[in-house]
Amino acid sequence: MALKLNSAFVCPYHNPRPQSRRPRSHRVFMASTLRPTSIEVENPKKPFSPPREVHVQVTHSLPPQKIEVFKSMEGWAEKNILVHLKPVEKCWQPQDFLPDPTSEGFYEQVEELRERAKELPDDYFVVLVGDMITEEALPTYQTMLNTLDGVRDETGASLTPWAVWTRAWTAEENRHGDLLNKYLYLSGRVDMKQIEKTIQYLIGSGMDPRTENSPYLGFIYTSFQERATFISHGNTARLAKEHGDMKLAQICGTIAADEKRHETAYTKIVEKLFEIDPDGTVLAFADMMRKKISMPAHLMYDGQDDNLFEHFSAVAQRLGVYTAKDYADILEFLVGRWNLEKLTGLSGEGRKAQDYVCGLAPRIRKLEERAQGRVKQATAVPFSWIFGRKMMV
């Protein structure tokens, strides 16, 4: 399969499959934009439909013998993956970083937070809000993990190590959106109602990582994504520090540290898969990269901007929070982390997949350099999250 690479491909936040996503239905568009006197009121029993629709999806692509691989790994996972979870009593909580509502100095603490926030530019808030919204769509990510054959939580309280991991990982991740949401609310710099609508739209739309219920594909995807969020939150921490908000820098850096720990767990799972089934795992890695890694929030919508995710991505790229270079760097890191170049004993198809993945990062970089050399016309786009003020994208 020939791969066509361009700046749209390498932009890591960019939804790589816009042509495969059908436009929002006219029905949903009307419901999201018209005033209460519209047809929406005349037909109050109209069924809900997600504002973002995806292509026909492949499901259950993994043969039964491959599912057995994960059953055989349960003892290993209990000893090697659950250790990357922290006991609740040793975990930080959002309140550790926020004004204490029970203290006499609460209002002064809030005022200090708001004063620091005044020094942060609008484009920084666009990126911080986008990152927070991505974290707040956590129900979707737990649902996605529970679609994976052989590792899902079959009962909602299963004691298999895979199920225990998924629930506890979700519980740890839940603190991220909670903390950022409260900070943004207290800052007074953003339109919380528009942000809350965006979160509701996003959870209602779901996500489409094209993992086909396969834990091979799913854990490769999460390995990539956890490193991406580690980088993104790390860069928002750096920028907050540059703008003088050391408390926000601490918040973003603390979240980044969580993402790094979770990345370690997911990459260990894939490392073990390479040990048990190198051919199947390298084929899955190549398949995931040919599809291109779509970001978890690629179906983002706020009720106004049909291209909100692409516009948010452009601001993140411009600020250096998450860039095309990061996309290539993550791929290169995973290739090295899993020692792909040293894999032996592969089938013919496996060797082709190995060559493809090992050579992909340099190709992405070259194409991005060419794209950067072309002059791009910048456009000013309004963001509802910052009260309709415009940003260059």
Side-chain angles (χ1 to χ4, degrees), residues 24-49:
R24 289 184 296 117
S25 68
H26 182 65
R27 178 179 72 251
V28 176
F29 176 79
M30 297 290 283
S32 66
T33 59
L34 291 185
R35 296 183 181 278
T37 55
S38 72
I39 194 171
E40 183 181 10
V41 175
E42 295 171 15
N43 184 15
K45 294 185 179 181
K46 179 175 54 184
F48 177 82
S49 179

Side-chain angles (χ1 to χ4, degrees), residues 181-192:
N181 193 315
K182 288 174 180 174
Y183 169 86
L184 287 164
Y185 170 79
L186 292 173
S187 77
R189 288 288 305 275
V190 295
D191 187 333
M192 287 305 300

Side-chain angles (χ1 to χ4, degrees), residues 137-165:
L138 185 61
T140 295
Y141 313 144
Q142 184 176 21
T143 298
M144 175 265 181
L145 287 171
N146 280 328
T147 69
L148 302 179
D149 294 330
V151 298
R152 69 172 60 90
D153 187 345
E154 297 284 359
T155 67
S158 168
L159 294 179
T160 69
W162 301 118
V164 171
W165 166 263

